[in-house]
Amino acid sequence: MPEKKPLPIGVDNFAKVIKEGYYYVDKTLLIKELLDLKGEVNLFTRPRRFGKTLNLSMLRYFFEDTADEEQNARNRALFQGLKIVEAGAAYTNRMSRYPVINLTLKSARQRDFKSAYGKIKEEIAGEFQRHSYVLKSDRIGDDNKKKFRKFASGEAE
């Protein structure tokens, strides 16, 4: 009898689903589809509880360069045995190559606009803080670094 795996009810983190052995329907070919279609903007419309956040988490783990090669290798390992790896180097060469900004509006569900706005600012600041390694790069100018610091500190409007 096959091993019974737990269902990932309420689990929206791709790494947790893979590492903790939850039942997972391989949707990694979504990555191939997005790369093949080359859309400038992609809209994911699905009903509630349909896996949108989990899919976005999968995209983050696939594309994100964390600026830590060991973490990047751990992220790449999550995809071993999944369909996107079988799709070939044209796709796997895109792994761990980009800074990814991951925002969810779940935290913005607040009693009033002011609280929701504050939560969104916190989310944005957190993403900038997560990517603070870009401040060491000479690929962005001092003006943009100044703007970056304002977002990371939560001072930006």
Side-chain angles (χ1 to χ4, degrees):
M1 195 163 161
E3 172 193 354
K4 285 191 174 187
K5 295 181 175 187
L7 293 173
I9 297 169
V11 181
D12 58 9
N13 183 294
F14 179 75
K16 183 174 184 174
V17 168
I18 299 300
K19 288 178 188 175
E20 296 184 15
Y22 284 94
Y23 186 78
Y24 177 68
V25 175
D26 188 345
K27 296 180 183 179
T28 58
L29 288 180
L30 170 66
I31 297 164
K32 179 182 183 302
E33 185 177 343
L34 289 172
L35 291 171
D36 289 346
L37 292 175
K38 299 178 180 161
E40 288 186 29
V41 175
N42 295 286
L43 176 64
F44 299 96
T45 57
R46 298 285 186 271
R48 286 185 72 234
R49 315 283 320 147
F50 209 80
K52 293 180 297 292
T53 304
L54 179 59
N55 282 337
L56 291 174
S57 175
M58 173 191 65
L59 293 173
R60 174 181 164 195
Y61 281 102
F62 185 85
F63 287 112
E64 185 167 60
D65 178 359
T66 65
D68 176 344
E69 194 47 48
E70 289 177 14
Q71 182 61 51
N72 287 348
R74 286 191 295 272
N75 289 352
R76 287 189 296 271
L78 295 171
F79 293 89
Q80 294 309 306
L82 298 178
K83 296 288 185 188
I84 191 63
V85 172
E86 295 173 15
Y91 303 100
T92 57
N93 286 343
R94 306 290 285 275
M95 294 175 87
S96 306
R97 299 237 346 245
Y98 309 96
V100 174
I101 296 173
N102 183 46
L103 295 174
T104 176
L105 298 180
K106 289 179 181 181
S107 66
R109 198 177 298 158
Q110 302 294 318
R111 288 192 313 257
D112 55 48
F113 176 80
K114 185 177 179 180
S115 298
Y117 180 75
K119 287 292 187 181
I120 291 171
K121 279 183 74 169
E122 285 178 24
E123 290 274 333
I124 292 170
E127 284 300 292
F128 274 81
Q129 291 165 12
R130 221 169 46 78
H131 291 293
S132 62
Y133 62 87
V134 301
L135 293 170
K136 297 174 187 165
S137 172
D138 58 353
R139 296 177 71 182
I140 61 173
D142 290 338
D143 286 345
N144 283 329
K145 287 181 182 180
K146 186 177 178 181
K147 289 177 189 174
F148 188 104
R149 286 185 186 94
K150 285 187 94 168
F151 277 103
S153 68
E155 296 171 13
E157 290 297 320

